[in-house]
Amino acid sequence: MKNLNIYKIVFFFVIYGCKTHTYTNEKVNPNNDGTRTIEWDLKKNLKEKKTGIYLYPNLGTKFSLKKGKFNGTFQIIDIDKNDTIFYCNYVDNLPIGRYVKNFYHRYKYRHFRTLPLKPNIDFGDGKGFFNNQHQKEGIWIEDFGNCTKKGGYEKGKKEGVWEENCYSDTGGDDTKKIFIYKNDSIVNTEIKIFPIGKVFFSSQRSEMRFGRF
């Protein structure tokens, strides 16, 4: 069923005969701020409500529009490392299916101009899956600076065990936190401090404590 929805999107574009626009200027690449080219093109195409499939081989980028809305795959690949930086399918600007965004690392952050501010198609660094109602579903990994969270969603709400690992790049302690969610609310918490520390539980979010004790 999940793959079927993606095939429907592809089939939709074939039926409507979208034009493919390919940009192969050898001077345009991520190292010379070539991502500005996509930023400018996106603003123009969204404003003019364009329809088409847009390919930028030297930037490892492709996206699809129908009447100024994202429909189909938006993908960014680091062509030097053959690594997926961003991937998502859309139906009228709404996400569906697999989602990947990996912008945090410095060599990838140069692509930040590629994603528009409006409409908002960016759902943060991490990876997971959107259901047919465009809600987060199943296991997700979400990155926030020096912290990584992993846990499950049910119809867009956090449920069950979520694990958060935070590391210090300034010589401080690393921490591991385990949150228990019910209907998107925390009902229990466990925190571990590394390399030295103890484990304790708190049934109230306001009682969460950090550091050694």
Side-chain angles (χ1 to χ4, degrees), residues 32 68 142 174:
N32 67 5
E142 300 176 341
D174 294 342

Side-chain angles (χ1 to χ4, degrees), residues 139-144 147-152 158-166 175-181 188 190 192 194:
I139 300 299
W140 274 73
I141 297 175
E142 300 176 341
D143 296 322
F144 301 89
C147 296
T148 298
K149 298 180 180 180
K150 182 179 180 180
K158 291 180 178 178
E159 291 287 349
V161 178
W162 273 76
E163 182 177 301
E164 177 184 303
N165 291 288
C166 299
T175 60
K176 178 177 181 178
K177 308 170 191 176
I178 296 177
F179 302 99
I180 309 298
Y181 280 87
N188 211 342
E190 175 186 350
K192 296 180 180 180
F194 297 99

Side-chain angles (χ1 to χ4, degrees), residues 51-69:
T51 295
I53 300 173
Y54 299 83
L55 306 176
Y56 300 79
N58 295 344
L59 298 171
T61 302
K62 68 176 181 180
F63 59 87
S64 301
L65 297 174
K66 182 177 184 293
K67 296 182 179 179
K69 292 185 178 181

Side-chain angles (χ1 to χ4, degrees), residues 69-93:
K69 292 185 178 181
F70 290 98
N71 279 273
T73 301
F74 197 134
Q75 183 175 20
I76 307 172
I77 296 176
D78 187 288
I79 55 179
D80 295 326
K81 301 179 182 295
N82 194 28
D83 189 14
T84 298
I85 299 175
F86 183 81
Y87 182 94
C88 190
N89 285 286
Y90 296 93
V91 177
D92 290 338
N93 294 335

